[in-house]
Amino acid sequence: VVLADRLREVRALEGFHRVTPAGSDKLVPVALNHKATVDWLPAIDVRGEGIFLSLDEGRLAVWEEQGAVRDRVLELEKRLNASFMEPRLRERTGPILAPRYVLLHTFAHLLIRRLAFESGYAATSLRERIYARSAAEPGGASKQAGILIYTAAGDSEGTLGGLVRQGEPPQLQGTVLEALQDAMWCSSDPLCSENLASTFASLNFAACHACTLVAETSCESGNYLLDRVLVVGSDKVPGFFQDVLDAAVEAAGEGIRGIS
């Protein structure tokens, strides 16, 4: 865990799309009234704070190699390949959709929803950045398995300190456990947890507005490529945090028996 009590972000508008999303090579340029290529982009400089969390690479690699996990993500990747959203989303996932990306992306959403209750920031003011490079990607780059939850704004909201405070012990442990417990049950279950065609273009599995989705401005992938089952597990697919939840439930049961 790394707490960034001072965070700077520069947001530049490179271009935009008309009607149909595509890759960055098909962006409509920002300066429409300039015939020649310009060497500047409109941008804003904002400051704030954030929490960075990284997962244990060894444990994550073992979980990724399980057949049930790989098969579930492979089905999602097939839908991604057939979707008109592929050029945009591939800029985030890389050439291969790794199980760690779906896991980290979903976990980030769960944390954003829980931190909105406890940090003092609205959920729309929190944003994510996913670092999920796997060994399967070409180039021999180092592996990555982390998420950054941050807030940054042009006014004083980015300097209140409420988000960093939630990253300190013991608050962070409680926030993570509560986020995972929230993911165990959705008000739309069993339809949500058993659904394999959620959201437009069917690019989500177990994810809906009642449990996982966040504001479009908070998500770097447009609320696509989410699956709550990879986080908490099911009868058919082991969740990465399933052991944590089992231990938490057992500890809660021991506490109840001790009181009685």
Side-chain angles (χ1 to χ4, degrees):
V1 177
V2 178
L3 301 180
D5 55 356
R6 290 185 296 175
L7 181 146
R8 180 191 180 201
E9 181 186 25
V10 178
R11 301 175 186 169
L13 179 61
E14 184 180 1
F16 57 91
H17 298 292
R18 293 189 184 275
V19 184
T20 303
S24 58
D25 57 329
K26 295 183 180 180
L27 284 173
V28 179
V30 177
L32 296 177
N33 59 336
H34 291 267
K35 296 184 182 299
T37 302
V38 295
D39 57 357
W40 57 268
L41 294 172
I44 57 174
D45 187 357
V46 294
R47 300 176 188 275
E49 55 180 314
I51 304 173
F52 176 81
L53 299 93
S54 63
L55 302 184
D56 180 78
E57 178 61 39
R59 187 167 182 265
L60 181 60
V62 172
W63 174 80
E64 279 188 305
E65 292 301 320
Q66 299 185 65
V69 173
R70 298 180 65 87
D71 291 344
R72 189 174 179 91
V73 177
L74 180 61
E75 175 60 30
L76 192 59
E77 184 167 31
K78 291 179 181 177
R79 300 183 183 187
L80 176 60
N81 292 335
S83 172
F84 72 96
M85 292 291 295
E86 182 191 14
R88 173 187 170 186
L89 294 177
R90 284 300 183 188
E91 295 177 0
R92 301 297 183 184
T93 67
I96 298 174
L97 179 61
R100 67 177 61 199
Y101 182 87
V102 183
L103 168 69
L104 290 166
H105 189 203
T106 309
F107 184 47
H109 279 223
L110 298 173
L111 282 180
I112 288 176
R113 293 170 65 95
R114 174 47 55 179
L115 286 169
F117 287 100
E118 302 174 353
S119 66
Y121 291 104
T124 53
S125 67
L126 299 177
R127 301 165 68 95
E128 67 177 10
R129 183 62 60 86
I130 311 300
Y131 303 89
R133 183 185 296 129
S134 66
E137 296 184 21
S142 59
K143 300 178 182 179
Q144 295 179 346
I147 59 175
L148 173 66
I149 308 297
Y150 69 98
T151 180
D155 56 16
S156 61
E157 186 180 9
T159 60
L160 293 177
L163 186 58
V164 166
R165 180 177 175 83
Q166 286 304 126
E168 299 174 351
Q171 287 94 333
L172 181 61
Q173 180 182 6
T175 299
V176 171
L177 286 176
E178 289 169 359
L180 295 176
Q181 289 172 354
D182 291 343
M184 292 179 65
W185 179 256
C186 171
S187 59
S188 298
D189 278 343
L191 295 178
C192 177
S193 60
E194 297 177 358
N195 195 2
L196 295 180
S198 179
T199 70
F200 184 68
S202 300
L203 293 180
N204 285 341
F205 281 168
C208 70
H209 284 285
C211 62
T212 310
L213 303 189
V214 297
E216 291 286 340
T217 54
S218 299
C219 178
E220 67 175 18
S221 299
N223 270 327
Y224 291 111
L225 305 180
L226 298 166
D227 186 7
R228 186 164 48 94
V229 169
L230 292 184
V231 178
V232 299
S234 67
D235 295 337
K236 299 179 180 179
V237 181
F240 182 79
F241 291 98
Q242 192 167 353
D243 294 342
V244 177
L245 286 169
D246 291 343
V249 171
E250 183 178 355
E254 292 291 339
I256 293 176
R257 286 192 291 269
I259 294 175
S260 61

